Amino acid sequence: MRFFGIGFLVLLFLEIMSIVWVADWLGGGATLALMVLSFIAGVMMLRHTGLSGVLLAGSAMKNGGEISLYQMLWPIRYAVAALLLMSPGFVSLVIALVLLLPIKGKPIAQMNTMGGTFGNADNPFRRAPGGGDIIEGEYTVTTPSEKQKQDYIEHKPD
């Protein structure tokens, strides 16, 4: 947090310099058109991410132990990329495009960075190998004896 202000100033300087470099290379009109198109794309992405981001996160969580960190963070990355597209400049455009790349990672259950039992064989809430919702257990069926039946009939609660 200490270097946040310095990093912000460096990013601001790089954004201004990228606009100048692209304007020198393509021309002022084309640079302005690219920045307007980038802003419109960012607005459209933010409008699109409303309910679909929540549904995407929900479906990623439904996968259980097969969820990767990329899938969990995708709605957040998508929104940050949309905000970066809305900012003027081409450094933020490049960062937004990198955030939108479909980079896959290992499932979180395999990462086990927190030392928990998430996705471990000892986890009683893990999914069955066949993909169904099967809970293993044992039970016994007992039938009451004649004396227990007679005692129940005599002392039957009203």
Side-chain angles (χ1 to χ4, degrees):
M1 206 59 162
R2 194 168 117 191
F3 298 108
F4 182 73
I6 296 171
F8 182 72
L9 288 174
V10 169
L11 180 65
L12 184 66
F13 175 74
L14 288 175
E15 291 285 358
I16 293 170
M17 290 306 299
S18 69
I19 292 172
V20 171
W21 289 331
V22 172
D24 187 43
W25 182 53
L26 291 178
T31 302
L32 182 63
L34 281 175
M35 289 192 313
V36 168
L37 286 174
S38 172
F39 182 81
I40 291 172
V43 168
M44 296 302 285
M45 284 173 60
L46 275 181
R47 288 185 66 203
H48 177 263
T49 193
L51 181 61
S52 66
V54 173
L55 293 176
L56 186 63
S59 69
M61 293 300 282
K62 192 175 180 179
N63 287 337
E66 298 299 318
I67 184 171
S68 69
L69 191 60
Y70 169 79
Q71 288 173 323
M72 279 182 55
L73 295 178
W74 173 250
I76 297 169
R77 288 174 53 175
Y78 191 80
V80 169
L83 290 172
L84 286 173
L85 282 174
M86 290 173 59
S87 70
F90 295 98
V91 173
S92 60
L93 177 74
V94 170
I95 295 171
L97 292 177
V98 168
L99 283 175
L100 291 174
L101 287 176
I103 302 168
K104 300 285 183 184
K106 291 193 298 188
I108 291 180
Q110 293 175 0
M111 292 171 66
N112 200 8
T113 56
M114 291 189 267
T117 58
F118 185 74
N120 206 348
D122 299 330
N123 188 354
F125 301 109
R126 66 184 171 92
R127 292 197 178 252
D133 293 331
I134 299 172
I135 300 173
E136 293 184 23
E138 296 180 13
Y139 67 94
T140 56
V141 178
T142 59
T143 57
S145 67
E146 290 299 321
K147 179 163 180 7
Q148 289 173 334
K149 287 181 187 177
Q150 189 64 30
D151 288 344
Y152 179 74
I153 291 172
E154 290 174 3
H155 300 79
K156 186 177 181 180
D158 293 328

